[in-house]
Amino acid sequence: LMLQLGYCQYVAQGGDWGSMICSNVAARYPQHCVALHINMCVPAIPRDWYGLLKLATGMFCMSSGERSGLASTMYFLKFETAYQQIQGTKPQSLAYGLNDSPVGLLAWILEKFQSWSDCGQGDPLQSGLSKDDILTDVMVYWVTQTIA
């Protein structure tokens, strides 16, 4: 697309699906995509025996910090990814609910801020977000009806 638009060089940025798409673009067109920024890193699964062996043996050679990081990741995958399931299987049902109720929209976004910011199980304001920041974000989605 970028070449068709007349751009010989460009940069790509993506999150969620965009991170995978942009990574693929950067890998396929390195002479044109001169920089890549993604905010959802997806590791490549090894496809050869040597890579699989390194992965398997690496589990036993992890430092305590690496084990802690892995435990944190496993916790996130188990308890903090339900939104991916509903958005991936029943997105339209969720969309109607969020676009119909400002309180529902606020609850949805506030829960995401609480889960994804550096506030642990505390108040999202502890991460540096202000009430105005949160309400501004909610209002952008509410007024434009673009949460879905």
Side-chain angles (χ1 to χ4, degrees):
L1 173 65
M2 297 303 287
L3 295 174
Q4 290 174 351
L5 291 172
Y7 295 99
C8 294
Q9 292 187 322
Y10 50 86
V11 299
Q13 190 283 326
D16 290 332
W17 277 106
S19 68
M20 292 174 255
I21 293 166
C22 290
S23 295
N24 192 289
V25 167
R28 291 181 67 187
Y29 304 102
Q31 69 279 20
H32 301 292
C33 184
V34 296
L36 170 67
H37 176 266
I38 57 175
N39 54 358
M40 184 177 137
C41 300
V42 179
I45 296 173
R47 297 174 190 248
D48 61 339
W49 284 105
Y50 181 67
L52 290 171
L53 181 63
K54 284 195 318 185
L55 179 64
T57 57
M59 299 293 285
F60 300 107
C61 301
M62 286 186 192
S63 69
S64 62
E66 290 168 327
R67 280 192 292 280
S68 175
L70 182 59
S72 175
T73 298
M74 298 310 291
Y75 176 89
F76 182 84
L77 292 174
K78 184 174 181 180
F79 296 107
E80 299 294 344
T81 58
Y83 76 97
Q84 292 174 336
Q85 293 298 315
I86 193 167
Q87 288 177 326
T89 59
K90 306 289 184 202
Q92 205 60 38
S93 298
L94 179 63
Y96 288 131
L98 295 177
N99 277 326
D100 189 55
S101 169
V103 174
L105 178 62
L106 173 63
W108 178 264
I109 290 176
L110 192 58
E111 187 271 331
K112 299 300 167 262
F113 279 145
Q114 198 252 343
S115 293
W116 297 342
S117 12
D118 293 333
C119 62
Q121 296 299 315
D123 189 318
L125 299 177
Q126 294 173 351
S127 70
L129 296 169
S130 72
K131 289 179 183 178
D132 283 342
D133 293 333
I134 294 167
L135 289 174
T136 297
D137 196 62
V138 171
M139 285 303 296
V140 167
Y141 284 115
W142 179 250
V143 172
T144 61
Q145 295 284 286
T146 55
I147 191 64

